[in-house]
Amino acid sequence: NLAVLYQINLSDEELKELIQNKSKRYNEISKAGIMSGAEDLIKELKKRVSVPVIGNGDIFSAEDAIDMLAQTGCDAVMIGRMAIGNPWIFSHVLARMHGQSEPRIDLDQRFDIMKRYLRESVEYFGEEIACRMMRSRLCWFAKGVRNSSQFRKSINRISTQAEALQRIEAYQNSLRIGQ
């Protein structure tokens, strides 16, 4: 955030004020156990500049993105880590922005995306590097799914694409059997 603030040429005094206010607000809000206070900084920044402002931080759901747009007046929202393992968050945000319900993602779609992510990662990074990455990243797709802890343990030492695919399919089949 600091680099962006300097790029739009806020004076050192204005920058210091924004950061101090954000820091103070962050501490107050953190003690209350709610959002980080980034919204205040974004809202204030939006008031002070004429260039588009992109809100970022604490976007865990479509509702969070819509709330940030509404609360800050920012021009767009950047979604970061939440998109890893949850790439459908973008279609959820778009649906909410158009007053529609979020599309339901069934287990088969989730597993199809996992397999595609594995395949494309191997194509891009090579099998050895991709498989090391998949040891943690495939877990993100299983978050909130039944028996995900067993799946996480099973992929912890994968070393080939075939091995990873076998573990994904075994997990998917175990969930079908248990339905």
Side-chain angles (χ1 to χ4, degrees):
N1 287 348
L2 298 180
V4 173
L5 293 174
Y6 274 118
Q7 286 176 356
I8 58 174
N9 297 323
L10 289 179
S11 70
D12 286 343
E13 195 171 293
E14 289 174 309
L15 177 61
K16 186 176 178 182
E17 178 189 339
L18 280 173
I19 292 170
Q20 284 175 340
N21 287 342
K22 190 229 184 254
S23 182
K24 180 182 175 189
R25 183 76 177 130
Y26 178 84
N27 289 334
E28 292 170 4
I29 290 174
S30 294
K31 288 176 186 170
I34 52 180
M35 295 190 99
S36 73
E39 292 83 0
D40 292 336
L41 179 61
I42 295 166
K43 187 175 185 176
E44 186 63 30
L45 184 61
K46 181 64 181 160
K47 288 179 195 174
R48 294 181 185 217
V49 300
S50 60
V51 297
V53 173
I54 300 171
N56 183 20
D58 298 328
I59 305 297
F60 300 106
S61 67
E63 184 177 351
D64 292 339
I66 300 303
D67 288 348
M68 179 174 281
L69 289 166
Q71 292 171 12
T72 67
C74 64
D75 300 287
V77 173
M78 183 183 306
I79 299 171
R81 285 177 294 220
M82 196 59 210
I84 302 171
N86 183 15
W88 41 87
I89 190 169
F90 301 105
S91 60
H92 290 178
V93 171
L94 286 173
R96 293 287 300 273
M97 289 178 74
H98 293 101
Q100 301 167 351
S101 60
E102 296 175 16
R104 181 163 150 51
I105 306 301
D106 66 30
L107 280 177
D108 287 334
Q109 290 172 305
R110 182 181 295 256
F111 281 97
D112 288 345
I113 291 171
M114 286 172 74
K115 293 172 194 175
R116 179 179 171 191
Y117 185 60
L118 169 65
R119 182 180 66 252
E120 291 181 6
S121 293
V122 168
E123 287 173 12
Y124 186 79
F125 295 107
E127 187 172 48
E128 183 181 346
I129 292 170
C131 286
R132 275 186 284 158
M133 292 168 54
M134 294 301 108
R135 293 174 188 171
S136 64
R137 294 188 180 179
L138 289 175
C139 297
W140 299 336
F141 290 92
K143 186 176 181 181
V145 177
R146 189 168 28 95
N147 299 328
S148 62
S149 62
Q150 291 171 325
F151 175 66
R152 283 193 305 273
K153 288 177 191 170
S154 79
I155 62 168
N156 201 23
R157 299 202 186 272
I158 57 170
S159 58
T160 68
Q161 181 177 1
E163 185 180 6
L165 187 58
Q166 183 273 328
R167 305 280 169 84
I168 293 168
E169 289 175 347
Y171 181 42
Q172 183 177 14
N173 289 335
S174 75
L175 294 172
R176 285 184 182 143
I177 292 168
Q179 288 180 345

